[in-house]
């Protein structure tokens, strides 16, 4: 039966959300109804190039055929068992994900925040069971301006007041040091420290790339001091920076890697804690879990994602297209761009505040058919799907130039 409710316009749909949806987001006024590859279409049929890619959840583009096919195939067979029983998809997913990251064991979860929460719990348990930290004394050292998610424990170690205010009391046991500062880390890590938890590149902070040697320094320091290096690669990982993991730029293997976003191929939420055996084997039945973590649909899509990454094609594209992005942004310096940071197909672009806030620039770009997201003041973030073509990327950069120079 066809619906008797007339189709609603973008404006009507935005208005209809207002009284019934929590106001915890401030989306751009575009209502997307379909998408393919790097392109999305709104309900009026206007097309936009997606230069955000779901904060890297859509690294392989919208509805990548191999991922959609894997999902369809699995939907027709088995979708959920819970971990009360085994399912026939989980072993392969875990084997291949561990091999892809150079680690040993996998704890499957769903969202990024859950992977971070799980990583925190695993690091604490390791500190008590293996390192011998006295009960309830474990500390975790984190970086200022981090973004690891939104749960109560995670916002407990955020330095963003908007994310924290009104949500206390907070979970104790975290020490915050400046990012990209090995001396501060050296001072903060002591015999109670379970782990150093950082983003190899700080995404939400504006794509902050640390100095060369920082990640290798964190690896050396954590090894020397006897604590874990936990790398949150939820946004930086799975091809975005031109490597499978961003830590590979410094040939570093952390003890624990947190993955999410693109692991679900833009189809289902899939996240994971991937770690050395000595670390993840601290968990025993009943100590941690998730009804949906490791479900067969997630495992099937996650395996298809790993398969795409095993080819190396997406890492290569991110490197090559990253050059196009970097050169394009360099040419915009002085033409509305006051600075930028990039690695692979990922950039934080500081726009001259005289031109407008990041939000205003994002709205102007939207009107020109380009979707981006601002972060902090006058910074916009560019993270298109790794399937974007060089021509599409160059087109987006030309539109950015027009918007910044007032020609649009
Ligand atoms: C580095 C990092 N960690 C964790 C998260 C949280 O992921 P989720 O929104 O899936 O909970 C994000 C989300 O932006 C992130 O960028």
């Amino acid at each position: 039966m066809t619906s008797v409710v007339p189709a609603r316009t973008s404006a009507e749909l935005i208005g209809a959300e207002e009284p019934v949806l929590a106001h915890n987001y401030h989306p751009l006024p575009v209502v997307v109804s379909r998408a393919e590859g790097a392109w999305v279409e709104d309900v009026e049929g206007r097309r936009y190039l997606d230069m955000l890619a779901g904060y890297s959840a859509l690294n392989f583009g919208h509805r990548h055929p191999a991922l959609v096919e894997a999902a369809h195939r699995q939907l027709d067979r088995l979708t959920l068992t819970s971990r009360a029983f085994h399912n026939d998809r989980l072993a392969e997913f875990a084997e291949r994900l561990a091999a892809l990251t150079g680690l040993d064991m996998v704890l499957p979860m769903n969202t990024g925040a859950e992977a971070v929460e799980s990583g925190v719990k695993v690091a604490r348990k390791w500190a008590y069971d293996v390192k011998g930290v006295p009960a309830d004394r474990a500390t975790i050292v984190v970086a200022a301006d981090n973004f690891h998610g939104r749960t109560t424990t995670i916002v407990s170690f955020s330095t963003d007041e908007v994310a924290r205010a009104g949500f206390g009391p907070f979970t104790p046991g975290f020490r915050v040091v400046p990012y990209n500062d090995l001396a501060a880390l050296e001072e903060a890590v002591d015999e109670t420290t379970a782990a150093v938890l950082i983003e190899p590149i700080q995404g939400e902070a504006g794509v902050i790339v640390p100095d060369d040697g920082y990640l290798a320094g964190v690896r050396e320091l954590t090894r020397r001091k006897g604590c874990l290096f936990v790398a949150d690669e939820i946004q930086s990982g799975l091809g975005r920076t031109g490597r499978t993991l961003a830590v590979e730029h410094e040939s570093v293997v952390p003890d624990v890697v947190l993955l999410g976003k693109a692991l679900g191929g833009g189809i289902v939420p899939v996240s994971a804690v991937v770690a050395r055996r000595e670390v993840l084997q601290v968990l025993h039945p009943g100590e941690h879990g998730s009804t949906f973590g490791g479900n067969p649909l997630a495992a099937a899509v996650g395996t298809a994602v790993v398969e795409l990454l095993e080819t190396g094609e997406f890492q290569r594209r991110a490197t090559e297209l990253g050059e196009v992005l970097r050169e394009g942004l360099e040419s915009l310096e002085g033409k509305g761009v006051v600075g930028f940071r990039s690695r692979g197909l990922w950039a934080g672009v500081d726009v001259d505040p005289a031109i407008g806030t990041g939000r205003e620039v994002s709205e102007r770009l939207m009107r020109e058919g380009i979707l981006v997201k601002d972060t902090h003041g006058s910074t916009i973030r560019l993270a298109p799907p790794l399937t974007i073509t060089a021509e599409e990327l160059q087109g987006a950069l030309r539109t950015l130039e027009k918007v910044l120079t007032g020609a649009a």
Side-chain angles (χ1 to χ4, degrees), residues 285-313:
E287 291 174 347
H288 189 63
S290 158
T291 302
F292 290 94
N295 71 72
L297 181 60
V301 174
T303 304
V305 164
V306 172
E307 207 165 302
L308 290 181
L309 288 164
E310 283 167 350
T311 67
E313 181 197 334

Side-chain angles (χ1 to χ4, degrees), residues 54 80 87 99 105 119 134 144 152 190 201 233 302 305 319 329 343 347 350 355 367 379 388 391:
L80 187 70
N87 74 67
M105 289 179 89
T152 324
D190 65 16
I201 292 173
E233 294 258 13
V305 164
T319 302
L329 291 173
R343 175 138 295 170
D350 302 329
I355 292 173
R367 288 194 286 274
T379 300
I388 195 171
E391 294 70 36

